[in-house]
Amino acid sequence: MVKIASELLVERLADWGVDTVFGLPGDGINGIMEGLRRHRDRVRFLLVHHEEAAAFMATGYAKSTGRLGVCLATSGPGGIHLLNGLYDARLDHVPVLAITGMQATSLLGTGFQQEVHLERLFDDVAEYNVLVHVPVQIPTLVDNAVRTALARHTVSHITIPVDVQESDADLKPYEGGLGLGRTPETAPIYLQSPVVPAQTDLLRAAEVLNAEAKVAMLVGAGALGARDEVLAAAELLGSPIVKTLPGKAVVPDSHPLVTGGLGLLGTRPSEQAVEECNGLFMVGTNFPYTAYLPEKARVVQIEADPTRAGARIATEVPLVGDAAHTLRALTPLLHHKAGRSFLAEAQQRMREWRKDMAALENPEREPIRPQYLMRVIDRLAADDAILSTDSGTVATWAARHFDIRGDRQFMLSGNLATMAPSVPYTIAAQWAHPGQQCLAFVGDGGFAMLMAEFLTAMRYQLPIKVFVCNNGLLAQILWEQMVLGYPEYGVRFQGPPPFAPWAEACGGFGIRIEEPGDLEDAVANALAWPGPALVDVVVNPDEPPLPAKVRYNQAKGFAEAFLKGQPRRTAIAATLFRDKYDQFKA
């Protein structure tokens, strides 16, 4: 059997340690599919129902493993569908390789069916972006693409015309020029060298951190894997540890140094700690919400990318390096702070905050409170569970009512904040971590977008657990409209849609819960189910995801929306009153 060019692609991916390609076939990639078939013992192909989901799965695979994620789509519309998931990878700085098909080279430029020049379309999303011209260059182009994605934590893209895919592997039809080059030969090798700042920069950083009495640490996704180093530095500095949402799993939520998240979905103690600090130590984060950063503080930042170091706030000492290695080099230079009043005050505020949050998890309230739903999942889930949450109000409930403990992981679309990634993320995580609980926490709007992927979980018998926080509306947009002073418009569906029958029709476990007393058994049964399971929970649609500290303009806009005729304003007001009553009672 003659070796075809697509085999060069698949073999090279396998040489790089790629074991899975997420995708959907099409006539623009039939040659690549044949290459995968011939080498299915080395690289597995996971068939999805939508190319957007394939890109999300590649992203979720990369986020949950730290390895390269790979997705595949056909020419034209298939490749276009990848874009949303690929932007998610790019904005959250995870390594993903996208492979697409292209019309035959003899037809390019003729306006042939589905002729979309994906190498141009992907120019913004992919840092390495190339069209294959001849088969013999494929291994080198794969090497370049993979190295770029791994080194720069970004997206690479290779598009291959169908005639090239199906050509003989050793075909090199064009030779010309002055003969100064030969067929490229590279090796599938990439070694990440530990990046540590210069000693002089470490000394300057230590000087700043040692000098300030009130230091707060803000840690992000770049500090994942540096838990011990973060805790050691914070202990020496007497610093509260504030977490970005993508960095939620850096340290356990129950640790006495931790004050939770920052921003609209964060905690009041974290917001106060950052407002009042005179030294801010940012580790592995390029936190974009600058309104929450201190106006006057001395700043030290550890950032792997020199272009992002100091990009958000005036930074006295930007340290370019890996979080764990840099902290290990910096910690011996830090002094143990004897004065702990700043930390003690943050810890007292955190105790009060936890009481307030616990009061909102009232199991007796009807309709079911989304906070209670999240807490039940938190209590019953394993200590190494991987939770993927969607965007919207569900992210608020996950941020505040799901705790990191043990080896738990937490994933979401951090910077793109797109809807619908949680189920594809969870499928990819389950594929990569077959022995762990992999959970999706998603709103009804996000689930409806890619609900066909529940069939993907069934096809591969991946025991994912999907919890739908079902309020029959696009809740995050509703509250944003009200905060702007506008009554809601165009955000409600026709009541909470029934998703449990869909899960059952797919062959999985499905149950709909409307009473709080039925919730705990339903969650426990779903977690114990040996295959894919879905729990569709009808929750209170009038529960607002209030920020930790309500600002004047937010309260003003909320009141204006009421005065202008906000629907269900009586129910919303009653919910707010009952929330405050529960917290007062607690």
Side-chain angles (χ1 to χ4, degrees), residues 446-464:
F447 181 70
M449 285 183 171
L450 290 176
M451 61 191 288
E453 300 309 327
F454 196 84
L455 282 168
T456 303
M458 287 302 308
R459 172 182 172 83
Y460 295 99
Q461 278 301 293
L462 299 171
I464 67 167

Side-chain angles (χ1 to χ4, degrees), residues 229-247:
E229 292 83 358
V230 166
L231 291 173
E235 176 59 37
L236 286 170
L237 295 169
S239 168
I241 300 175
V242 179
K243 301 189 287 185
T244 69
L245 193 50

Side-chain angles (χ1 to χ4, degrees), residues 169-223:
D170 58 357
L171 182 66
K172 47 177 181 179
Y174 311 117
E175 295 291 344
L178 300 175
L180 300 178
R182 61 173 178 261
T183 301
E185 292 184 19
T186 53
I189 297 171
Y190 169 74
L191 298 176
Q192 174 76 56
S193 60
V195 181
V196 181
Q199 187 68 14
T200 52
D201 295 331
L202 292 168
L203 288 168
R204 288 174 56 222
E207 181 184 358
V208 171
L209 296 172
N210 289 331
E212 301 307 322
K214 297 188 290 185
V215 174
M217 284 185 76
L218 177 60
V219 302

Side-chain angles (χ1 to χ4, degrees), residues 48-186:
V48 306
H49 285 81
H50 196 297
E51 291 94 350
E52 181 181 8
F56 279 140
M57 288 180 198
T59 302
Y61 183 94
K63 287 184 176 183
S64 66
T65 65
R67 298 168 58 196
L68 179 75
V70 181
C71 56
L72 172 66
T74 190
S75 57
I80 294 168
H81 280 159
L82 291 177
L83 280 172
N84 195 45
L86 295 180
Y87 271 104
D88 184 37
R90 179 178 176 88
L91 270 62
D92 278 358
H93 312 294
V94 295
V96 168
L97 169 62
I99 302 166
T100 61
M102 180 69 72
Q103 278 65 32
T105 52
S106 61
L107 297 171
L108 293 179
T110 68
F112 194 73
Q113 184 188 37
Q114 294 188 342
E115 183 180 343
V116 176
H117 285 262
L118 297 175
E119 81 282 10
R120 301 176 196 167
L121 183 66
F122 281 44
D123 196 47
D124 183 57
V125 73
E127 190 155 340
Y128 184 84
N129 180 27
V130 66
L131 169 69
V132 176
H133 293 276
V134 293
V136 292
Q137 69 180 156
I138 288 175
T140 291
L141 299 186
V142 173
D143 290 348
N144 291 343
V146 173
R147 270 196 289 266
T148 301
L150 293 174
R152 299 179 183 171
H153 306 280
T154 191
V155 174
S156 289
H157 170 236
I158 299 175
T159 188
I160 312 178
V162 292
D163 55 331
V164 177
Q165 296 171 30
E166 301 161 14
S167 298
D168 291 351
D170 58 357
L171 182 66
K172 47 177 181 179
Y174 311 117
E175 295 291 344
L178 300 175
L180 300 178
R182 61 173 178 261
T183 301
E185 292 184 19
T186 53

